Amino acid sequence: MEATRCLRDDHRVIRSVLDGFERALGDSDRARKISREEYQPFLDFFRDFAEVYHYRREEEQLFALLRSKQVIVPGTPIALVLEEHELGRALTPAMAEALERGGDDPEGAAAFLAHGRRYLEFLRKHADKEEHCVYGMAERVIRGRDLEALLAAYEEAERDPACQALRDRGRAFAAEVVARYGLSALPAAPAALPQGEVAAGPGAKDVGRQEPWLWRDYASRLAPDPGSDLAIRVERALQSPAVAMQRAMLERIGRRIEPAPLLWRMLPSGHLRLFFPVTGASDAIEKGTVVALVLLYDLAEERPLYAHPVHAGPGANPLLQHLSGPMAHPKAQEGGNGERATLRLLEHKRTLWERFEHEREELGPEEAGRLWRERYGWSLVRLYFCERCAACRFGSPFLEGSDGEPFRSTGSAVPEEARELQPGESSQIAAAVRASEPWRIEVAYAQRGGFTVRDEPSRVEALGADWRIVLFPTDAEWIEGGTLVGAIAYFHVPSGETRYASCLSAGPEAETLFLRGDTALGLPLTDAAARGAYAAWRAQAWSSFWLDELELGLHAASRRWLHGYWDALGRLFGAGSAPVREGRSAD
């Protein structure tokens, strides 16, 4: 968490002031009057500490580094919180103007209170988005030398006297607010990074030795409050016969059930889902190692219905794999999103195990096992809470949902070089394809699935003297298995006919059309080496997509996959030939 430790500490200071601000707003609401002397220091804090000192540290250090790594693209969480920084800076002047009109004026006081509550809600949710989504994402990306450079940038900025003054005034005011309103004591600033904790050097060694950001971030949110109904049910579950049987078997092999739940959620079916970590003397895991215990607690009968072990490996519990089976309920979420979330977990487990097997060779079994647990814990949170990246588009379980509509990005996922088509023959062929009956059939098929095929092709390639391959992208921005991402037409030059057209979809499998077109349909093929490389890319890229989806969010993962897909098609059809140019063929 070193990449964001100081920013998280800023949030603790800001939250303390927001708690006091909420108390003050409540007092003023009851008194129906506001005091400039009371609220001006709050506004000064929001402007100076939150919107200058804190925002600048994010924008000029953390986000600048992420931008250089091309993590910030339209629709991703970081792009969203950057937009919210500007929104926050626009809200404080409205509060200041209302404060000027306030005092004994009831209308001015009401306006200030309304603006204040809006700002309070905004800044709390904004901090949640950053901590539970953006910071976690940054910690997955920034390692090794990048992390050392970021920490050095933080330190350099802190040496600026103006920066120090903003920090010290802000912390002093927060301590004053805590004392004035009887709040919990402000936490101390985190200790400096111990020497040698960050691993420098290239490649896998950049991973370093960091504590799991997911479990640490969510521990306070997921732990049941002592004496609450949830805490009582957790205790009953741990003492039930179902858990006792599992505990006895695990203790025989030196493993134990941890009493603090890794994850819990009240399901709409009247059940409580509980996950308890299972640990042992070592973090090293192998296929089949029990890493958690999952329970289903019946709220009406106040008892657990069952307790099942959760195993490490590429496969999920068989009950999850059969979505319509008699034991597949209750799902983690309601409706269609429950099925999507389950399918997403199946992909996550498979790809996480592939990553684990690779890292076990490079990092050793202990470190690889620890990282697998961390990522698997996050995949469970995504299973139970993420509604297709709604709200912050990354799937924070503690943010309210939205309408679920995707962001519409302004750029294109098609590589620029693939779209630089020459006028002349290529445009004439594209026009002929669009006017053909095979093409109309495919476009109508895509429309039935809710996809629109673009009018302009991304590539026109020559295969021999007689054939042209015309590739068109669709408007797909989110992908999953089966998403239509493009369409292809085979144009026969001597006859001037579009002989064949087909839609192209996302997934791990290479199109049979491209691999066996000559024997399947009598269509021309590229050389065997290019086909083999393309098939290998498809399999590898699908695993990478699901890892990106887990760690960066669906929108960013989709853009990465789509960009790679069009590049791979360019290499497949461009092998041994060149794009058609005006006045000549590639032959």
Side-chain angles (χ1 to χ4, degrees):
M1 294 172 62
E2 298 305 328
T4 62
R5 183 189 296 270
C6 62
L7 302 176
R8 292 174 188 272
D9 188 57
D10 290 349
H11 281 179
R12 287 192 286 269
V13 175
I14 291 169
R15 284 196 175 96
S16 294
V17 174
L18 289 175
D19 289 345
F21 188 53
E22 184 175 36
R23 296 274 185 93
L25 292 175
D27 293 343
S28 295
D29 191 27
R30 287 186 289 274
R32 298 192 178 279
K33 60 186 296 187
I34 60 175
S35 163
R36 180 182 178 84
E37 290 73 21
E38 180 174 23
Y39 286 109
Q40 188 60 52
F42 281 106
L43 298 192
D44 292 341
F45 173 88
F46 295 143
R47 275 192 297 243
D48 295 343
F49 189 88
E51 297 169 13
V52 176
Y53 173 72
H54 176 67
Y55 283 2
R56 281 183 180 174
R57 291 217 286 178
E58 290 178 329
E59 294 168 358
E60 296 176 8
Q61 277 98 45
L62 180 69
F63 294 170
L65 176 57
L66 292 173
R67 183 177 285 107
S68 73
K69 299 176 76 65
Q70 298 184 333
V71 173
I72 303 178
V73 296
T76 56
I78 302 174
L80 178 61
V81 299
L82 278 170
E83 293 175 11
E84 290 187 348
H85 280 190
E86 296 308 312
L87 175 60
R89 291 181 174 118
L91 289 175
T92 43
M95 283 195 295
E97 181 182 350
L99 185 60
E100 287 288 339
R101 298 190 294 110
D104 296 326
D105 176 13
E107 290 187 3
F112 176 80
L113 294 175
H115 288 307
R117 290 194 185 92
R118 183 184 176 195
Y119 187 80
L120 178 73
E121 180 182 16
F122 159 77
L123 198 53
R124 279 175 171 166
K125 286 189 174 183
H126 175 76
D128 279 347
K129 289 179 185 181
E130 289 186 327
E131 291 202 12
H132 298 302
C133 303
V134 175
Y135 290 176
M137 182 190 301
E139 288 150 8
R140 304 298 302 151
V141 173
I142 301 173
R143 302 288 177 92
R145 291 186 179 126
D146 285 336
L147 179 56
E148 289 181 320
L150 178 62
L151 296 178
Y154 286 148
E155 291 177 2
E156 181 179 359
E158 288 294 296
R159 285 194 288 269
D160 180 358
C163 181
Q164 293 175 5
L166 291 175
R167 178 197 63 202
D168 294 344
R169 283 203 305 270
R171 283 188 168 275
F173 178 68
E176 179 186 328
V177 167
V178 166
R180 184 192 311 165
Y181 294 98
L183 306 174
S184 299
L186 190 67
L193 177 68
Q195 290 297 317
E197 184 170 335
V198 179
K205 290 186 172 59
D206 284 357
V207 171
R209 180 73 184 182
Q210 298 185 357
E211 290 302 312
W213 62 268
L214 169 72
W215 290 4
R216 179 183 292 181
D217 279 359
Y218 284 89
S220 62
R221 295 273 187 158
L222 295 175
D225 294 330
S228 64
D229 288 344
L230 176 61
I232 293 170
R233 285 163 176 153
V234 166
E235 186 62 28
R236 285 176 182 165
L238 288 172
Q239 298 190 14
S240 67
V243 174
M245 176 182 67
Q246 300 289 343
R247 180 183 291 111
M249 298 301 294
L250 290 167
E251 287 176 349
R252 294 177 60 191
I253 57 174
R255 300 187 67 75
R256 63 183 177 275
I257 301 169
E258 298 292 340
L262 163 67
L263 178 71
W264 62 266
R265 186 176 186 184
M266 296 293 183
L267 301 177
S269 58
H271 296 88
L272 168 66
R273 180 74 74 193
L274 289 164
F275 281 84
F276 293 94
V278 172
T279 60
S282 169
D283 258 344
I285 63 173
E286 59 186 19
K287 187 176 180 179
T289 298
V290 177
V291 294
L293 197 70
V294 57
L295 288 81
L296 185 68
Y297 190 97
D298 189 305
L299 298 177
E301 298 185 14
E302 291 293 353
R303 66 182 180 90
L305 299 179
Y306 63 74
H308 290 164
V310 176
H311 302 278
N317 187 320
L319 297 180
L320 292 178
Q321 297 180 47
H322 304 285
L323 295 180
S324 59
M327 299 300 291
H329 302 279
K331 289 186 173 60
Q333 300 185 46
E334 291 185 277
N337 194 64
E339 295 201 359
R340 283 195 301 269
T342 302
L343 293 172
R344 185 171 61 226
L345 177 74
L346 300 179
E347 295 284 2
H348 287 162
K349 279 215 76 175
R350 178 183 60 81
T351 54
L352 288 179
W353 194 252
E354 291 177 4
R355 170 76 70 89
F356 165 76
E357 291 183 322
H358 175 74
E359 290 180 336
R360 182 169 52 188
E361 299 298 320
E362 294 189 349
L363 306 177
E366 291 274 345
E367 178 69 5
R370 187 186 65 80
L371 291 172
W372 184 90
R373 282 177 172 273
E374 171 191 343
R375 293 164 182 150
Y376 180 59
W378 177 238
S379 73
L380 289 178
V381 174
R382 297 286 308 279
L383 169 69
Y384 280 88
F385 294 98
C386 175
E387 297 189 2
R388 199 161 183 160
C389 293
C392 65
R393 312 298 171 187
F394 190 52
S396 168
F398 304 110
L399 297 176
E400 296 177 1
S402 70
D403 56 9
E405 286 299 312
F407 280 93
R408 310 305 298 182
S409 62
T410 56
S412 170
V414 180
E416 288 295 326
E417 62 273 14
R419 295 187 286 120
E420 293 177 357
L421 301 176
Q422 298 295 320
E425 183 187 1
S426 59
S427 58
Q428 294 171 7
I429 289 174
V433 167
R434 288 194 296 268
S436 67
E437 186 62 25
W439 189 250
R440 282 194 288 268
I441 293 172
E442 287 306 301
V443 168
Y445 175 74
Q447 289 175 341
R448 287 181 58 199
F451 301 96
T452 299
V453 180
R454 305 286 190 190
D455 289 335
E456 294 302 318
S458 60
R459 301 189 78 96
V460 177
E461 298 279 357
L463 282 182
D466 294 343
W467 293 91
R468 301 292 180 266
I469 304 297
V470 190
L471 293 162
F472 293 80
T474 70
D475 62 346
E477 291 190 19
W478 313 71
I479 68 169
E480 55 191 355
T483 296
L484 296 187
V485 296
I488 187 171
Y490 287 77
F491 185 81
H492 189 244
V493 176
S495 66
E497 296 177 350
T498 301
R499 292 286 178 86
Y500 194 78
S502 178
C503 287
L504 307 174
S505 63
E509 308 87 0
E511 297 86 346
T512 302
L513 179 68
F514 297 161
L515 301 185
R516 301 288 294 170
D518 55 347
T519 59
L521 291 165
L523 295 171
L525 285 175
T526 57
D527 64 86
R531 299 198 301 273
Y534 175 73
W537 178 87
R538 287 289 299 236
Q540 181 275 330
W542 198 240
S543 292
S544 296
F545 164 75
W546 282 107
L547 290 171
D548 284 343
E549 195 274 346
L550 181 64
E551 297 180 355
L552 298 178
L554 181 59
H555 193 277
S558 296
R559 287 182 62 86
R560 284 189 175 191
W561 189 92
L562 286 166
H563 192 280
Y565 177 68
W566 290 104
D567 181 67
L569 287 182
R571 285 184 277 114
L572 171 67
F573 290 108
S577 62
V580 174
R581 303 301 184 194
E582 174 68 3
R584 69 176 182 87
S585 75
D587 297 294

